[in-house]
Amino acid sequence: MPKKNAKAAGKPDTKALSKELFRDRSHAAVKTGPRELGRANKFAEGYKDFLNRSKTERETVDYTVQAAEAAGFVPFDPNTKYAPGDRVYYNNRGKAICLAVIGKKGASEGVRIAAAHIDNPRIDLKPIPLYESGEMALLKTHYYGGIKKYQWTAIPLSMHGKIVRKDGTEITVCVGEKEGDPQFTITDILPHLGRDQMQKPLGQAFTGEDLNILVGSLPLPGAEEGAQLYKLNIMNILHEQYGVVESDLISAEITFTPAFKATDIGFDRSMVGGYGHDDRVCAYPALEAIFKCKTPEHTVITCLADKEEIGSVGNTGLASFFLDYFVSDLAEAEGLNPRHVWSMSNCLSADVTAAFDPNYGYAYEANNACYINRGVGIMKYTGGGGKSGSNDASAEFVGWVRRMLDKEEVVWQIGEIGKVDQGGGGTVALDISRHNADVIDVGVPVLSMHAPFEVISKLDLYMTYKAFKAYFEAT
Ligand code: MN
Ligand code: MN
């Protein structure tokens, strides 16, 4: 036996030693087997439905309230004393939401928070958007979040949002998602005439002011004379459908998103392609995990925030105190000091990370990249340029998290977004760590992040759900 001989001769068994000493980086499907793959596929069906029904933060909050009430959650009342197992939610202006299940120990030893964001990169309208040019009606826009502008031209778009009329009445709009709805698009120049454009660097070939949305091409029917008849025709249609006039668009939040539906990707159907995985691919499993939660040891919270893509600003972003107030109210209802509760709390800041992309392998450091299908990604730190702007979780907390995940057989990986000094990104981890809570970034690796059509793996999505479930159930 060569192996025995090798040992007898004092040579090490490198295979056994490697297995013992090296980290297992195998594919999640190898680690978990076909049963978990089946569960992951089933979980992804619910996720695709969620993606199709909730393309903006407002639509996601609407979905969440409906699903939460069906799962026994009731609106939070800060003056009520809650008992273990009670389920509450706090809807912040229809754009952000916190859900909690009260634990056996309540908040006395801190709370457990899963925080994700539900706004996505998109195209917003300017306050005075409608104009006509070249015998067409168009809308002026201001893009939202970090986008590569060229990706948003020549694709079908749908319209979402809210208009508040002069009399104060509110109208919710959603056009281009239902079968038979019209859709919209931003045009691009044909290659035949694209010589000037194609000589420019990519970052300059498309400007923000070029991103104008095509919404009509007929003058007002029957009008024989008059100015701006293309614009007038569209305004007339909007007036007939919604009772709005041009000045009502000033008090509106109207957003255009890609119109396409979520779909399986690959002959093996192992992935999901769709708009807005960042960060609804973390929001959905965080929701499903709290819905499944019965009576946890510690009070658990899923927080879905707005405005992350533009710096977590505003009163619905996590730089605001709305989550702090929610935790403080829970603490005070139990007679606890909110500061002390926060200091004993911890948080999984759930946001996507970059998946290694072989087409652009130069941007990643292969040993420390996250890979599609290797499970939920953990990021000890994010940021860029010397960890600047990152939370950088402690060794102790990373240690606790990895024990917690291993105990429940969650397949996970750890990585950085890309090569050192290649770029970087931030998450809500910073905003939460400010309260003296332990925070770590976790999430699903994404291909084509921030593109109108992003790709994730079903196994990674499912492992992220299992991670939140393990976290909420941990003692
Ligand atoms: Mn994100
Ligand atoms: Mn993002």
Side-chain angles (χ1 to χ4, degrees), residues 164-179:
V164 179
R165 284 189 298 218
K166 194 178 176 184
D167 64 3
T169 51
E170 298 179 3
I171 304 146
T172 297
V173 293
C174 182
V175 182
E177 291 292 334
K178 284 198 302 290
E179 193 68 33

Side-chain angles (χ1 to χ4, degrees), residues 280-320:
R280 287 171 303 149
V281 74
C282 296
Y284 182 74
L287 271 183
E288 287 296 305
I290 201 163
F291 290 164
K292 290 278 171 346
C293 199
K294 295 279 182 270
T295 308
E297 195 72 7
H298 308 280
T299 294
V300 300
I301 296 171
T302 287
C303 175
L304 305 182
D306 181 26
K307 295 282 193 284
E308 194 277 341
E309 295 296 357
I310 58 168
S312 295
V313 295
N315 55 9
T316 50
L318 269 177
S320 113

Side-chain angles (χ1 to χ4, degrees), residues 110-168:
V111 297
R112 302 276 161 86
I113 303 166
H117 69 90
I118 50 176
D119 61 317
N120 328 311
R122 63 189 190 218
I123 312 283
D124 285 351
L125 288 193
K126 291 190 184 188
I128 302 171
L130 185 60
Y131 71 105
E132 67 173 53
S133 184
E135 304 187 342
M136 286 177 276
L138 300 115
L139 297 171
K140 292 301 297 180
T141 70
H142 196 141
Y143 64 94
Y144 173 98
I147 65 167
K148 290 160 87 177
K149 298 182 188 85
Y150 73 91
Q151 294 178 331
W152 294 73
T153 66
I155 59 168
L157 300 173
S158 55
M159 181 176 89
H160 309 254
K162 181 174 254 190
I163 306 168
V164 179
R165 284 189 298 218
K166 194 178 176 184
D167 64 3

Side-chain angles (χ1 to χ4, degrees), residues 117 278-279 308-309 351-352:
H117 69 90
D278 177 9
D279 185 32
E308 194 277 341
E309 295 296 357
D351 206 343
V352 297

Side-chain angles (χ1 to χ4, degrees), residues 103-357:
K104 288 177 198 139
K105 293 181 176 165
S108 63
E109 292 176 20
V111 297
R112 302 276 161 86
I113 303 166
H117 69 90
I118 50 176
D119 61 317
N120 328 311
R122 63 189 190 218
I123 312 283
D124 285 351
L125 288 193
K126 291 190 184 188
I128 302 171
L130 185 60
Y131 71 105
E132 67 173 53
S133 184
E135 304 187 342
M136 286 177 276
L138 300 115
L139 297 171
K140 292 301 297 180
T141 70
H142 196 141
Y143 64 94
Y144 173 98
I147 65 167
K148 290 160 87 177
K149 298 182 188 85
Y150 73 91
Q151 294 178 331
W152 294 73
T153 66
I155 59 168
L157 300 173
S158 55
M159 181 176 89
H160 309 254
K162 181 174 254 190
I163 306 168
V164 179
R165 284 189 298 218
K166 194 178 176 184
D167 64 3
T169 51
E170 298 179 3
I171 304 146
T172 297
V173 293
C174 182
V175 182
E177 291 292 334
K178 284 198 302 290
E179 193 68 33
D181 270 5
Q183 296 179 340
F184 312 92
T185 195
I186 297 169
T187 56
D188 190 5
I189 189 138
L190 57 166
H192 318 64
L193 298 178
R195 188 178 297 170
D196 287 357
Q197 182 195 54
M198 292 208 273
Q199 276 166 2
K200 290 180 191 166
L202 195 55
Q204 290 165 22
F206 297 79
T207 71
E209 295 296 349
D210 293 337
L211 300 180
N212 304 310
I213 299 171
L214 180 60
V215 294
S217 65
L218 290 176
L220 187 72
E224 282 170 11
E225 55 183 48
Q228 302 192 82
L229 294 179
Y230 295 86
K231 175 179 169 177
L232 190 57
N233 190 35
I234 296 304
M235 207 59 246
N236 195 41
I237 291 169
L238 292 177
H239 186 252
E240 278 173 1
Q241 286 187 0
Y242 303 112
V244 298
V245 297
E246 189 179 16
S247 58
D248 290 332
L249 298 179
I250 291 168
S251 45
E253 283 179 304
I254 301 195
T255 282
F256 285 75
T257 71
F260 24 72
K261 304 282 183 209
T263 184
D264 287 350
I265 295 287
F267 288 118
D268 56 9
R269 295 180 172 268
S270 60
M271 299 165 279
V272 176
Y275 164 67
H277 286 313
D278 177 9
D279 185 32
R280 287 171 303 149
V281 74
C282 296
Y284 182 74
L287 271 183
E288 287 296 305
I290 201 163
F291 290 164
K292 290 278 171 346
C293 199
K294 295 279 182 270
T295 308
E297 195 72 7
H298 308 280
T299 294
V300 300
I301 296 171
T302 287
C303 175
L304 305 182
D306 181 26
K307 295 282 193 284
E308 194 277 341
E309 295 296 357
I310 58 168
S312 295
V313 295
N315 55 9
T316 50
L318 269 177
S320 113
F321 292 119
F322 79 89
L323 174 63
D324 181 26
Y325 294 163
F326 185 65
V327 172
S328 298
D329 284 343
L330 288 171
E332 283 171 354
E334 295 176 29
L336 302 165
N337 182 326
R339 282 206 316 270
H340 301 162
V341 168
W342 264 118
S343 301
M344 291 181 285
S345 295
N346 55 48
C347 171
L348 301 184
S349 164
D351 206 343
V352 297
T353 187
F356 178 83
D357 185 339

